[in-house]
Amino acid sequence: MTPHNPHLCLLGDATSPHIQRWAREMLARGWRVSLITARPAPIDGVHQQVLRPVRRSAQWLLRAGEARRAIAALAPDIVHAHYTTSYGYLGARAGRRPLVMTAWGSDLLVTPHTAPWMRWLTAWTLRRADLITGDSESLVDAARSYQPAAPVHCIHWGVELARFAPVPWQDKPGFEIVSLRSWEPIYNIPTLIDAVARLREQHPSLPLHLHLLGGGSMEAPLRAQVAARGLQAVVSFHGRLDDAGMARVLARCKVSVSVPTQDATSVSVLESMACGLAVVATQLQANAQWLQPDGLVPAQDSAALARALAHLAHDGAAAEATGQRNAALIQREGDRRQQMDRMDALYRELLQARAASASKTSSKISR
């Protein structure tokens, strides 16, 4: 029989808002949730088993024994590892079934291509899963390229529509731009700053302002770049904000920019769309699932990004129409509640399959 309150054990970074949201969503659906993590942070209602810190990628290989013992002690009904090339590996080494893995992006799109042994290890890890999910078709295709036995589903993170919603366009001051991406090399924040500098030089009377959210290791060089380009008055460094803080900044802005070199479906893109912003993003398969072609630009091309921003700045009607289309699309297809309902159903199918298998085994023994 399926337990009334089945036990879900997540493997992932407790510091990640995505893990925090996932845990809360599953608690709300009647799951007992535990988390095994190398980066702890409080999550109400979630018991955590903390691994030794991981400071270098190779150290994930040394945490397998700890993770295996923690999972065995918890004895969960389902193990779900987030991020294939770290916690996914730990889940695969633990040997407890059923095992779910969720790819996040660079763990399948970038890391496996850095070395032949890394690609081999990624394939080995995925082939030990009973269910695999990714948040874009590009990730689903990448997972399937390893020919795992498990089914692969596209489940994206979704948006909390009660919190991220449009505000009247006429209430937005000037031409304000937001980036929700972390200040790390893959997200190309210097390209965005350079594009804003170009825009200001070419259109000095434009009431321009850039809001940088996210935080990260590149803060010092980014601040230096802003100072060197004379942009201190038009760039605000907010760092990491909670959902309410992000929503307040998004309410001011007309355009959101997300231009990483590689990416799967970005929650920041979906949240920006839900708030009725026009979005300019990198020409990637994951972004093309959600955005029109005129909103896509090449990676690390500040001139192309500046042109796209200038078009939106000087055609307010087009920018507003794009924002309205984005909000309507997220209302139809981007609701986090619907995505998490799908995941809950997949979990319960795994439990039913395990119970059916156990019943058959018991029947054979009794004969």
Side-chain angles (χ1 to χ4, degrees), residues 151-165:
V152 186
H153 293 267
C154 186
I155 304 284
H156 63 77
W157 301 98
V159 178
E160 186 181 350
L161 296 180
R163 187 181 296 278
F164 294 96

Side-chain angles (χ1 to χ4, degrees), residues 136-311:
S136 69
E137 291 302 329
S138 59
L139 269 183
V140 167
D141 291 345
R144 286 177 177 153
S145 73
Y146 292 94
Q147 299 180 323
V152 186
H153 293 267
C154 186
I155 304 284
H156 63 77
W157 301 98
V159 178
E160 186 181 350
L161 296 180
R163 187 181 296 278
F164 294 96
V167 303
W169 195 261
Q170 61 270 20
D171 292 349
K172 297 174 180 288
F175 185 71
E176 302 199 9
I177 302 164
V178 64
S179 166
L180 303 178
R181 309 315 300 265
S182 298
W183 306 339
E184 303 296 343
I186 194 172
Y187 296 111
N188 296 321
I189 306 302
T191 300
L192 171 56
I193 293 171
D194 189 48
V196 167
R198 288 171 179 264
L199 191 61
R200 194 180 189 213
E201 290 166 2
Q202 295 164 6
H203 308 280
S205 63
L206 184 67
L208 176 67
H209 201 92
L210 171 63
H211 300 271
L212 295 175
L213 281 62
S217 65
M218 294 182 65
E219 179 172 357
L222 292 175
R223 287 186 180 275
Q225 181 186 6
V226 166
R229 301 302 296 267
L231 297 174
Q232 298 96 318
V234 298
V235 178
S236 296
F237 287 84
H238 296 273
R240 179 172 286 188
L241 301 179
D242 60 15
D243 285 356
M246 286 192 292
R248 283 193 296 272
V249 176
L250 286 163
R252 297 183 55 88
C253 296
K254 293 180 177 177
V255 180
S256 178
V257 175
S258 174
V259 287
T261 304
Q262 189 55 269
D263 209 2
T265 297
S266 163
V267 177
S268 67
V269 168
L270 301 187
E271 289 171 343
S272 299
M273 294 172 68
C275 289
L277 277 67
V279 177
V280 181
T282 322
Q283 288 173 338
L284 297 171
Q285 182 181 348
N287 291 330
Q289 286 181 234
W290 296 96
L291 303 172
Q292 296 294 307
D294 59 359
L296 302 176
V297 296
Q300 298 180 321
D301 189 337
S302 60
L305 178 55
R307 288 193 295 271
L309 293 173
H311 170 70

Side-chain angles (χ1 to χ4, degrees), residues 294-349:
D294 59 359
L296 302 176
V297 296
Q300 298 180 321
D301 189 337
S302 60
L305 178 55
R307 288 193 295 271
L309 293 173
H311 170 70
L312 293 170
H314 292 98
D315 191 342
E320 182 177 5
T322 298
Q324 290 173 345
R325 172 204 169 273
N326 288 343
L329 179 58
I330 296 300
Q331 284 285 336
R332 292 195 307 272
E333 301 179 18
D335 187 350
R336 179 180 301 154
R337 181 176 51 191
Q338 294 175 358
Q339 295 297 308
M340 293 298 101
D341 283 347
R342 287 182 61 205
M343 197 66 227
D344 175 66
L346 289 170
Y347 283 152
R348 294 179 190 276
E349 287 174 12

Side-chain angles (χ1 to χ4, degrees), residues 10-13 36 60 64 67 71 79-96 99-104 107-108 118 121-122 124-129:
L10 300 174
L11 278 70
D13 285 348
I36 296 173
W60 290 110
I71 292 171
V79 176
H80 185 167
H82 283 262
Y83 208 88
T84 308
T85 50
S86 54
Y87 292 103
Y89 169 77
L90 299 184
R93 285 288 305 274
R96 186 159 184 106
L99 172 62
V100 182
M101 290 187 195
T102 289
W104 281 34
D107 51 344
L108 291 191
M118 195 67 237
L121 188 61
T122 302
W124 180 89
T125 299
L126 287 172
R127 288 170 186 163
R128 275 144 186 82

